[in-house]
Amino acid sequence: MTRSLPCLLALLSVVGCGPATDTSPDLESAPAALEASDRHGGSAPREGSVRLSTGVTLRYVEQGRRDGPVVVFLHGYTDSHHTWDLDLPRFPRDLHIYALDQRGHGDSSRPACCYTQQAFARDVVAFLDAKRVSRAILVGHSMGSFIAQQVALDAPSRVKALVLVGSAPTVAGNEVALGLKSAVDTLTDPVDPTFIREFQASTFVRPVPASYLDTLVAESAKLPARVWQDSLDGLIAEDHSARLGSLRVPTLIIGGDQDGFFSVAEQRALARAIRGSTYLLYPETGHAPHAERPRRFVDDVSHFVRRL
């Protein structure tokens, strides 16, 4: 199906019509989930920052047992570690989790250069080096999923497994991304908060907590226009789809059947390209399965990790 950013934005009145403060079990607030986890021996996430050999300083949150399997979470375009706020409190505390603010995003440094997939991927490897982690499971959403793919292609010995969320084989040539680029290229500082809210809301089909959406908007507002533009240019410019067949790591792909950015056909193409991958398609779900169905997402990822 042909889609464009204007079409996505036209849907905002529908996307936002559900109860933003839905109290269904799947949308239990992050603080409530964290409180329940703490009662079972969990601990609150620890915040930190680290200067990398690539020259950037990355902000991150860390949780779980330090001797547990390492899982690194990579957020999407203009997001930060807060994109996982509905998920991290639910994960078992025997996993050693890091959720990064990638270069230019969140509270990490914003260098003048560079925002290619390769640059983001080098940061991930440098982060593993800094934390003395030999191999990690990478969980990436949207832009983060392409960075995870890039790390697995460029440094396969450092990747134990992949979880790719809201993903495809490539962004190159994607009509929605090109439509977004036409709008992003016109941005100036400070970036219009109405545009930011419309962009963030366009990724959801199911209602999410109002406080969660507000947080995402606030995080995206931290980015100057140049980071919006350079990061999107880097995504569109890279096409490593022809190399995906060389991947030999266990891979879980999770997508929504109403994803407005990557069609089901594109998601299935990714599953075909990575041999032996497992593909889960969530019904009535948009571009952010981890936020729209957090309980199911955490259960599926946890089950996948346990089987490694």
Side-chain angles (χ1 to χ4, degrees), residues 169-287:
T170 183
V171 186
N174 180 279
E175 292 182 5
V176 180
L178 293 173
L180 178 60
K181 175 177 166 56
S182 68
V184 167
D185 283 348
T186 69
L187 296 179
T188 56
D189 293 320
V191 176
D192 181 3
T194 299
F195 174 83
I196 295 174
R197 183 166 292 274
E198 289 178 344
F199 167 71
Q200 284 289 359
S202 74
T203 65
F204 307 118
V205 169
R206 298 177 62 84
V208 298
S211 58
Y212 175 74
L213 178 58
D214 289 345
T215 296
L216 297 186
V217 171
E219 291 298 296
S220 290
K222 293 178 179 180
L223 277 64
R226 66 176 177 85
V227 176
W228 281 77
Q229 293 155 357
D230 292 350
S231 297
L232 186 56
D233 286 346
L235 272 174
I236 293 173
E238 171 63 20
D239 183 359
H240 55 229
S241 56
R243 300 173 58 200
L244 292 175
S246 67
L247 293 180
R248 294 292 184 271
V249 296
T251 301
L252 174 63
I253 299 167
I254 299 176
D257 67 347
Q258 297 182 39
D259 189 324
F261 285 86
F262 301 118
S263 67
V264 173
E266 290 171 293
Q267 297 172 41
R268 287 176 173 158
L270 176 62
R272 288 194 302 271
I274 302 178
R275 301 177 199 176
S277 61
T278 299
Y279 172 42
L280 300 180
L281 183 64
Y282 289 6
E284 300 179 3
T285 303
H287 185 57

Side-chain angles (χ1 to χ4, degrees), residues 285-296:
T285 303
H287 185 57
H290 65 290
E292 297 175 67
R293 295 187 180 273
R295 189 175 297 278
R296 177 175 176 181

Side-chain angles (χ1 to χ4, degrees), residues 58-61 72-75 80-82 84 98-102 108 123-124 127:
L58 293 194
R59 190 73 175 169
Y60 64 89
V61 294
V72 176
F73 285 76
L74 306 172
H75 60 74
S80 72
H81 74 269
H82 285 291
W84 310 107
Y98 293 101
L100 311 185
D101 287 355
Q102 298 177 87
S108 292
D123 287 344
V124 175
F127 181 84

Side-chain angles (χ1 to χ4, degrees), residues 40-78:
H40 291 86
S43 59
R46 307 173 291 275
E47 297 186 5
S49 62
V50 60
R51 176 77 172 178
L52 303 182
S53 60
T54 54
V56 298
T57 298
L58 293 194
R59 190 73 175 169
Y60 64 89
V61 294
E62 177 185 8
Q63 72 178 41
R65 289 176 47 178
R66 298 183 188 276
D67 61 348
V70 176
V71 186
V72 176
F73 285 76
L74 306 172
H75 60 74
Y77 174 64
T78 78

Side-chain angles (χ1 to χ4, degrees), residues 5-14:
L5 183 65
C7 291
L8 288 173
L9 299 183
L11 290 173
L12 291 179
S13 61
V14 177

